[in-house]
């Protein structure tokens, strides 16, 4: 054993560690105490952050529970799945509902007729829809304004010239623009469906002003919009029975599309991303096994030199 140690020492494989000075020992001690204190500080910050987050969540839940409106139940929409697209037949029927019912009071200023092409209508059908409106355009070469039939580039017309006219026609209430209403309301299309089908007689103790109606899904319960959807209030072009629930479902789907026109494209992109990532994962695993197999399986042996 002694001979073996002498041989290792001669090959300089064994070296004695240098002695630590007093200052170095103090530095190591202070570094260890700082690390211990740092861990305690991080733990305290984590506990405080978790407590604040739990308090905010509890307050939000209590505020929601104390609200005067009923929360919208979740409906079984065809587009709720991870890879499910919108029902384009329903979107087209929803456009009919908006055109014949909702457009009398609500604008949709961020949607143009060209957006309908390839989604609900063909290009010829969208042009025919646009030509049904009259647009004030100009000035012409003589400096005068003129009216013309609508084009694909025109946006849906507003029923009122300005906000004041809209309020005057609706007892002071301003009908909101519906372009992004699904994204702007908590509950999304569930809220729209529940609101349109949730009108009831006011319960005892609820006082409504003139021109107001009771809807438990609207904040406060008092809404200035009267019930507009009834059975057979319109007729669908495709012959679908126009029940109240069908009308509400179709227009909610249409408003979902106007709020997220990229909905279907986004889900198609997700399918492509998952496919590409899956392929790259398989290739990466194969390359890793191929390149690293020789390194992971090699054996390192120390052979001392013979004297």
């Amino acid at each position: 054993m002694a001979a073996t140690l002498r041989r290792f020492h001669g090959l300089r494989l064994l070296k004695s560690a240098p002695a630590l000075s007093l200052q170095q020992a103090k530095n190591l001690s202070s570094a260890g105490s700082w690390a211990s204190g740092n861990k305690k500080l991080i733990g305290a910050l984590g506990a405080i952050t978790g407590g604040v987050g739990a308090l905010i969540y509890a307050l939000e839940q209590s505020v929601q529970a104390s609200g005067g409106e009923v929360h919208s139940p979740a409906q079984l929409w065809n587009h709720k799945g991870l890879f499910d697209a919108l029902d384009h037949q329903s979107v087209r029927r929803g456009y009919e509902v908006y055109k014949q019912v909702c457009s009398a009071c609500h604008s949709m200023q961020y949607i143009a007729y060209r957006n309908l092409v390839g989604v609900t209508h063909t290009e010829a059908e969208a042009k025919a829809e646009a030509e049904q409106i009259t647009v004030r355009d100009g000035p012409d070469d003589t400096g005068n304004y003129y009216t013309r039939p609508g084009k694909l580039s025109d946006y849906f017309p507003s029923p009122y010239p300005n906000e004041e006219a809209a309020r005057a026609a609706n007892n002071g209430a301003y009908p909101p623009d519906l372009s992004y209403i699904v994204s702007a309301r908590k509950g999304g299309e569930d809220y729209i469906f529940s609101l349109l089908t949730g009108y009831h007689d006011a319960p005892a103790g609820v006082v409504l002003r003139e021109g107001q109606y009771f809807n438990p899904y609207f904040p406060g319960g008092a809404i200035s919009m009267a019930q507009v959807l009834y059975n057979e209030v319109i007729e669908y072009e495709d012959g679908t029975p126009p029940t109240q629930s069908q009308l509400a479902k179709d227009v909610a789907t249409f408003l979902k599309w106007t709020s997220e026109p990229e909905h279907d494209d986004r889900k198609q992109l997700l399918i492509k991303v998952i496919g590409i990532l899956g392929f790259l994962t398989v290739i990466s695993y194969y390359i890793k096994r191929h390149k690293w197999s020789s390194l992971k399986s090699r054996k390192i042996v120390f052979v001392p030199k013979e004297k």
Side-chain angles (χ1 to χ4, degrees):
M1 181 68 183
T4 303
L5 289 178
R6 283 196 300 270
R7 186 168 66 250
F8 282 175
H9 183 72
L11 295 174
R12 299 184 180 273
L13 295 178
L14 296 178
K15 295 183 179 180
S16 58
L20 293 177
S21 64
L22 180 60
Q23 184 62 34
Q24 290 175 334
K26 289 182 179 180
N27 291 340
L28 289 176
S29 177
S30 60
S33 61
W34 180 86
S36 177
N38 194 28
K39 290 180 180 179
K40 294 180 181 179
L41 178 61
I42 293 175
L45 290 177
I48 293 174
T49 303
V52 171
L55 178 61
I56 293 174
Y57 177 78
L59 290 176
E60 181 182 2
Q61 295 300 315
S62 64
V63 169
Q64 293 177 1
S66 63
E69 73 275 7
V70 178
H71 296 287
S72 306
Q75 306 295 331
L76 299 177
W77 301 97
N78 295 333
H79 55 268
K80 278 298 186 180
L82 187 62
F83 304 111
D84 293 333
L86 290 169
D87 183 354
H88 287 240
Q89 291 296 327
S90 181
V91 176
R92 178 172 180 133
R93 292 193 299 267
Y95 168 74
E96 296 180 35
V97 178
Y98 168 77
K99 176 184 174 181
Q100 300 183 46
V101 180
C102 307
S103 63
C105 297
H106 294 274
S107 62
M108 195 168 280
Q109 59 180 333
Y110 299 109
I111 303 298
Y113 286 96
R114 65 172 179 266
N115 300 129
L116 300 176
V117 178
V119 179
T120 60
H121 296 71
T122 63
E123 184 175 352
E125 290 174 336
K127 284 183 178 179
E129 290 291 328
E131 290 173 354
Q132 295 179 14
I133 67 171
T134 302
V135 179
R136 184 172 182 266
D137 204 348
D140 56 14
D141 296 338
T142 60
N144 297 321
Y145 285 87
Y146 59 93
T147 58
R148 59 167 177 81
K151 302 183 296 185
L152 285 178
S153 58
D154 292 322
Y155 289 82
F156 289 5
S158 176
Y160 305 104
N162 49 59
E163 181 178 342
E164 288 72 20
R167 292 186 181 278
N170 293 277
N171 297 322
Y174 181 60
D177 184 87
L178 298 183
S179 301
Y180 302 105
I181 194 68
V182 168
S183 299
R185 296 293 184 269
K186 185 175 182 179
E189 56 267 46
D190 292 326
Y191 168 76
I192 300 298
F193 180 87
S194 299
L195 183 72
L196 294 175
T197 59
Y199 285 86
H200 300 282
D201 294 332
V206 176
V207 179
L208 300 176
R209 294 180 298 181
E210 183 180 358
Q212 289 187 331
Y213 308 88
F214 179 74
N215 192 316
Y217 297 100
F218 188 77
I223 185 172
S224 297
M225 183 181 73
Q227 183 175 353
V228 294
L229 296 185
Y230 300 91
N231 294 334
E232 300 181 353
V233 68
I234 68 170
E235 291 185 3
Y236 283 130
E237 293 179 354
D238 60 0
T240 302
T243 61
Q244 184 193 42
S245 59
Q246 184 68 50
L247 295 168
K249 179 252 186 185
D250 290 336
V251 74
T253 305
F254 172 70
L255 295 176
K256 172 68 174 180
W257 169 74
T258 61
S259 297
E260 300 179 18
E262 78 290 346
H263 179 274
D264 291 354
D265 295 334
R266 187 175 67 244
K267 292 192 174 181
Q268 288 178 356
L269 182 62
L270 176 61
I271 296 175
K272 295 178 182 178
V273 168
I274 292 177
I276 293 174
L277 290 180
F279 175 76
L280 292 178
T281 300
V282 173
I283 293 298
S284 300
Y285 178 76
Y286 173 78
I287 294 176
K288 182 257 184 184
R289 294 276 296 179
H290 178 71
K291 293 293 186 181
W292 288 85
S293 60
S294 60
L295 296 178
K296 294 181 68 174
S297 60
R298 69 179 181 177
K299 184 177 181 180
I300 301 176
V301 179
F302 173 74
V303 179
K305 294 181 178 180
E306 296 292 339
K307 290 187 177 179

